[in-house]
Amino acid sequence: MEEQEFTLVEHLTELRKRLIIISIIFLVTLIIGFVFAPNILQFLKSQEIAQSVEWNVFGYTDGIQIYVKCAILVAICFTLPIGMHQLWLFMKPGLTNKEARVAARFIPVAFILFIVGVSFSYFILFPLMLNFMSNINASIGAVETYGMNQYFTLMFNMLIPIGIVFELPVVILFLTRLGIVTPQRLRKMRKVSYLILVIIGVMISPPDFVSDFLIIIPLLLLFEISIIVSERTYRKKMLDEVQEND
């Protein structure tokens, strides 16, 4: 009993250590984000998609809010791979050597998927939403008067959530390798998963049907891709186990 309690204390101590490291990295990169926020915002301002937006502010706190959001985005991007590595180090003692090697491969893949999600959101979804909403406003004769807070809030509210959701295939792959998830279980959960993804899509998109549609469809496709990835991984896992038993 005492040995089990000591082991639990060791695990909690190790978890605390990893969380402290992740927190320190996040704070350091957050400061870096604050330093480079003006350059990043100027770069985003110079892009073609932002040319039609007047950089007005309608409140004294608009500027600092955008500063903070930009710095947080930078901090998340840099902290994510390090956080994944720290999570792997925490889980490593409970994994076999083979499982540890497989889990280590997921770190760069997960980070790449996050960057792909952010890029997809910024270069495809975000312009489509802006063009659609601008066309709707023009069709009713509305005069568009936006500020930088409205522009960047809409953009940042899309980039991070969609970047995280793009991690779904690698998370499913990892859970399948560990035997926690199977393709059969995913198929049984398809209706519930669809409902959850629709709710997530509606929450992170602007309040119009087309924007919801543009986000929900990729989320559902990601889930279906996750099932395919899980099925291939599950078959390979079963084949490896048969070969090991032989």
Side-chain angles (χ1 to χ4, degrees), residues 173-186:
L173 176 60
F174 180 66
L175 295 177
T176 303
R177 292 289 302 185
L178 294 181
I180 299 175
V181 169
T182 63
Q184 296 79 10
R185 193 173 300 170
L186 288 174

Side-chain angles (χ1 to χ4, degrees), residues 21-238:
I21 293 174
I22 294 173
S23 299
I24 291 174
I25 296 298
F26 181 81
L27 289 176
V28 171
T29 53
L30 184 65
I31 294 172
I32 295 174
F34 272 110
V35 172
F36 288 97
N39 294 18
I40 296 172
L41 294 174
Q42 287 298 326
F43 171 76
L44 295 174
K45 181 181 177 181
S46 66
Q47 300 303 299
E48 182 179 355
I49 185 177
Q51 295 301 311
S52 60
V53 179
E54 293 291 335
W55 293 73
N56 302 310
V57 292
F58 302 112
Y60 289 106
T61 61
D62 284 0
I64 189 63
Q65 287 179 12
I66 299 305
Y67 248 72
V68 171
K69 290 175 182 178
C70 183
I72 290 175
L73 178 62
V74 172
I76 290 175
C77 289
F78 281 98
T79 305
L80 183 63
I82 298 174
M84 290 179 178
H85 183 253
Q86 292 299 315
L87 178 62
W88 176 76
L89 291 175
F90 173 71
M91 297 176 60
K92 186 179 178 182
L95 302 175
T96 64
N97 291 334
K98 183 177 180 180
E99 289 173 340
R101 288 195 302 269
V102 172
R105 296 174 194 161
F106 293 153
I107 297 175
V109 175
F111 181 64
I112 291 172
L113 283 176
F114 177 79
I115 298 301
V116 169
V118 170
S119 301
F120 174 76
S121 176
Y122 179 71
F123 290 107
I124 298 178
L125 286 182
F126 187 54
L128 287 174
M129 287 185 184
L130 287 186
N131 291 334
F132 170 77
M133 288 184 285
S134 293
N135 291 335
I136 292 296
N137 292 333
S139 68
I140 62 175
V143 178
E144 294 181 310
T145 305
Y146 301 125
M148 61 182 298
N149 191 22
Q150 286 76 19
Y151 179 86
F152 281 111
T153 296
L154 176 62
M155 184 179 71
F156 290 148
N157 286 349
M158 289 181 56
L159 295 186
I160 299 299
I162 294 179
I164 293 175
V165 171
F166 263 66
E167 304 279 343
L168 184 61
V170 75
V171 171
I172 296 297
L173 176 60
F174 180 66
L175 295 177
T176 303
R177 292 289 302 185
L178 294 181
I180 299 175
V181 169
T182 63
Q184 296 79 10
R185 193 173 300 170
L186 288 174
R187 291 192 183 93
K188 290 180 180 179
M189 295 173 55
R190 181 180 270 124
K191 292 182 180 179
V192 176
S193 300
Y194 272 21
L195 177 60
I196 294 174
L197 291 174
V198 168
I199 293 173
I200 293 174
V202 171
M203 290 176 61
I204 65 179
S205 65
D208 64 85
F209 174 75
V210 174
S211 298
D212 294 340
F213 182 79
L214 290 174
I215 289 182
I216 290 171
I217 294 302
L219 296 186
L220 300 183
L221 289 175
L222 278 173
F223 181 77
E224 293 300 325
I225 291 172
S226 300
I227 293 179
I228 296 173
V229 169
S230 176
E231 187 168 8
R232 292 182 177 179
T233 304
Y234 186 75
R235 288 177 181 173
K236 188 177 184 302
K237 182 173 179 291
M238 293 295 101

